[in-house]
Amino acid sequence: MAVTAVVGAQWGDEGKGRIVDYLAQRADMVIRFQGGDNAGHTVVNDYGKFALHLVPSGIFNPATQCIIGTGAVVNFDVLSAELAGLSEAGIDVGNLIVDCRAHVILPFHRQLDGAEEASRAEGWEVGTTKRGIGPVYADKAHRQGIRTGDILDPKRLRICLQMLLPVKNRELAYYGLPEVTVDELMAHCARWRNEMGDRIVDALPLIRNAVREGKQVVLEGQLGVMRDLDWGIYPYTTSSSPTAGGGCVGAGVPPRAVDHVLGIVKAYSTSVGGGPFPTELTGEIGEKLREVGEEYGATTGRPRRCGWFDGVAIGYASWLNGFTSIAVTKLDILDEFEELQICTGYRLGDKTLDYVPETAIQEQVEPIYETWPGWLSDTSHVRTWNDLPDKAQAYINRIEELAGAPVRFISVGPERDQIVVL
Ligand code: GDP
Ligand code: IMO
Ligand code: MG
């Protein structure tokens, strides 16, 4: 396995958490390299069912060093609650550290996220998770953010807050929100320092040593490439890069050290939030996918938009990430469909596109489908390729072809052992 980047190949919620949990049984280190508590990574294993927001999905193996990496953003209140919940369930959370360069989500970031969304033109809402992700990454890019390491040093922290708050208070006032004071935020940070200060370290020497020693390191992405800040459906994107390249930057691993890029590919498509979604099914079939697939947001509970598999988007994801293999998840959800469609191109007027165009053009495309027969049998008990129905094999072979990377895993249920390894 060596260094494996595990990345979402679609619009998020592909099943990254469950695959990282599976790989982490043999991983020495798992690094969450971007995003914050906008994530909802569901893991079902012997300990129970968990929706992880910030904690890396390797936490269930006590021998795995879990790191919230430099590229991530941290809401310490959420982290604290999440760690308490895991501890209560009997999970050893002693191995979780936070890199000192990761940025801190402060309470006003969340408020601004909500207010900014509310002020967008109708139909142009990003549909954010309102976790403060956009505002905190904006402060980071503005070089005025607060880093986790800053909260360990009250003198430095006070100066940083004194520089930041006049600007933030003007923004808050613009949206009619109450102003915040340096003392108030110093108090929050003091509490976080007391509770979690020991976990805040410079993780890079540990990461460098692990990679140099050939340890099994997993880079865990949040979201999918279609919501990448650069390559996703801007502006309906998140504010960081969930790609393998983003993994190198956010974790602190050079590109040449990444041995495998595992794309997580749901057997159909889902998307939460705004923006174009060419294969969306708004009728009965979409409803059936949502109900059978239990497609409701793990963080916000919002119903996910559902649609057929988009082969154009997968080709795009594969190029941008350089998949060396893929994991196809939720195959079992298609067990009861007589017929399946796979999108292999986009129609734009009299042209056919075999690539994902930028957002404004994407909003105008119509999917071109090919039809595949359903297998109409229960795959949830299948554990080997040969035991999969022929029609399911054919469907997966087509996904593999469109992804241009070999299928390494097929998951047929949410439990850790409901997986076919090829
Ligand atoms: P993530 O954000 O990429 O980690 O994915 P989510 O956890 O948000 O969404 C995936 C959902 O599908 C979760 O509820 C998982 O428990 C569930 N899941 C994952 N793999 C499978 C599978 O193969 N079959 C079924 N039925 N459910 C799965
Ligand atoms: P996981 O890790 C699905 C979507 C939001 C919104 C856009 C920006 O579970 O795949 P943000 O809060 O990041 O500013 O929202 O991205 N979004 C997700 N959709 N799964 C997620 O996480 C998501 N995190 C953010 O709906 O459209
Ligand atoms: Mg999710």
Side-chain angles (χ1 to χ4, degrees):
M1 190 161 61
V3 178
T4 304
V6 177
V7 291
Q10 292 150 311
W11 293 259
D13 304 322
E14 299 90 350
K16 299 173 290 292
R18 65 104 65 224
I19 297 290
V20 171
D21 169 65
Y22 179 83
L23 296 177
Q25 294 172 94
R26 282 171 288 116
D28 298 298
M29 183 176 274
V30 175
I31 311 165
R32 245 297 289 281
F33 61 79
Q34 45 76 229
D37 58 306
N38 48 344
H41 290 184
T42 314
V43 173
V44 184
N45 57 26
D46 290 346
Y47 293 100
K49 179 175 177 177
F50 303 87
L52 299 174
H53 299 294
L54 258 170
V55 173
S57 304
I59 197 72
F60 304 95
N61 179 354
T64 304
Q65 173 75 71
C66 285
I67 301 176
I68 297 177
T70 290
V73 288
V74 185
N75 180 326
F76 278 107
D77 286 334
V78 172
L79 181 59
S80 165
E82 200 166 312
L83 290 174
L86 288 164
S87 295
E88 262 171 46
I91 291 127
D92 175 0
V93 296
N95 255 345
L96 184 273
I97 55 175
V98 181
D99 189 82
C100 60
R101 297 175 186 82
H103 280 244
V104 179
I105 298 180
L106 294 163
F108 64 75
H109 287 124
R110 274 199 182 211
Q111 288 179 297
L112 286 173
D113 194 350
E116 285 167 9
E117 268 290 272
S119 74
R120 292 180 68 88
E122 204 184 323
W124 285 70
E125 297 87 356
V126 177
T128 77
T129 58
K130 303 205 171 101
R131 298 300 192 265
I133 304 300
V136 75
Y137 277 112
D139 280 348
K140 173 178 175 174
H142 262 149
R143 294 154 299 184
Q144 61 188 14
I146 306 296
R147 305 202 290 176
T148 64
D150 296 331
I151 73 173
L152 300 179
D153 180 344
K155 260 196 204 147
R156 183 184 172 85
L157 177 65
R158 185 172 283 279
I159 296 169
C160 292
L161 287 172
Q162 278 167 346
M163 290 190 286
L164 175 66
L165 286 200
V167 185
K168 293 293 119 179
N169 278 331
R170 292 178 84 159
E171 280 180 44
L172 288 164
Y174 172 79
Y175 290 114
L177 292 164
E179 294 196 359
V180 288
T181 64
V182 170
D183 286 342
E184 182 186 325
L185 291 178
M186 286 296 291
H188 276 297
C189 293
R191 184 162 51 77
W192 295 332
R193 181 166 58 246
N194 291 337
E195 258 183 62
M196 244 154 320
D198 291 348
R199 295 185 190 269
I200 301 170
V201 298
D202 187 340
L204 191 65
L206 290 172
I207 294 168
R208 193 189 54 199
N209 288 346
V211 173
R212 278 186 178 157
E213 288 164 16
K215 297 264 172 72
Q216 306 297 315
V217 176
V218 174
L219 312 184
E220 178 178 3
Q222 187 259 331
L223 255 175
V225 66
M226 297 308 292
R227 301 242 183 228
D228 177 89
L229 182 60
D230 287 290
W231 296 104
I233 45 176
Y234 191 90
Y236 311 99
T237 58
T238 195
S239 300
S240 60
S241 175
T243 61
C248 290
V249 176
V253 171
R256 289 202 310 174
V258 176
D259 302 285
H260 308 286
V261 178
L262 177 65
I264 312 301
V265 178
K266 202 184 290 200
Y268 50 97
S269 303
T270 64
S271 172
V272 198
F277 183 33
T279 65
E280 181 166 18
L281 296 163
T282 49
E284 230 173 79
I285 301 174
E287 194 59 39
K288 182 171 168 186
L289 278 172
R290 178 158 44 249
E291 291 317 310
V292 180
E294 295 179 42
E295 295 295 353
Y296 293 89
T299 297
T300 60
R302 289 179 290 176
R304 293 175 181 152
R305 300 157 71 189
C306 297
W308 292 125
F309 186 81
D310 188 336
V312 184
I314 286 307
Y316 184 71
S318 188
W319 165 254
L320 290 169
N321 285 291
F323 295 153
T324 57
S325 58
I326 60 172
V328 177
T329 60
K330 303 193 85 161
L331 184 73
D332 54 302
I333 303 306
L334 301 181
D335 287 350
E336 293 162 31
F337 287 79
E338 263 172 48
E339 232 174 38
L340 304 165
Q341 313 272 350
I342 291 182
C343 166
T344 55
Y346 294 152
R347 186 164 291 118
L348 179 71
D350 55 3
K351 282 192 266 178
T352 300
L353 309 185
D354 64 355
Y355 60 90
V356 174
E358 70 84 25
T359 314
I361 306 292
Q362 209 184 129
E363 279 165 351
Q364 304 166 41
V365 303
E366 291 291 332
I368 300 168
Y369 287 118
E370 55 186 31
T371 304
W372 288 76
W375 43 93
L376 295 174
S377 63
D378 180 5
T379 58
S380 66
H381 303 291
V382 173
R383 296 293 177 272
T384 65
W385 172 257
N386 289 338
D387 287 339
L388 279 173
D390 290 352
K391 287 171 180 155
Q393 289 183 352
Y395 184 79
I396 289 176
N397 284 338
R398 184 63 175 130
I399 289 180
E400 181 173 84
E401 206 170 76
L402 290 162
V407 175
R408 196 116 184 265
F409 303 99
I410 301 162
S411 78
V412 291
E415 304 265 347
R416 198 186 256 179
D417 74 329
Q418 289 185 292
I419 195 160
V420 175
V421 182
L422 279 86

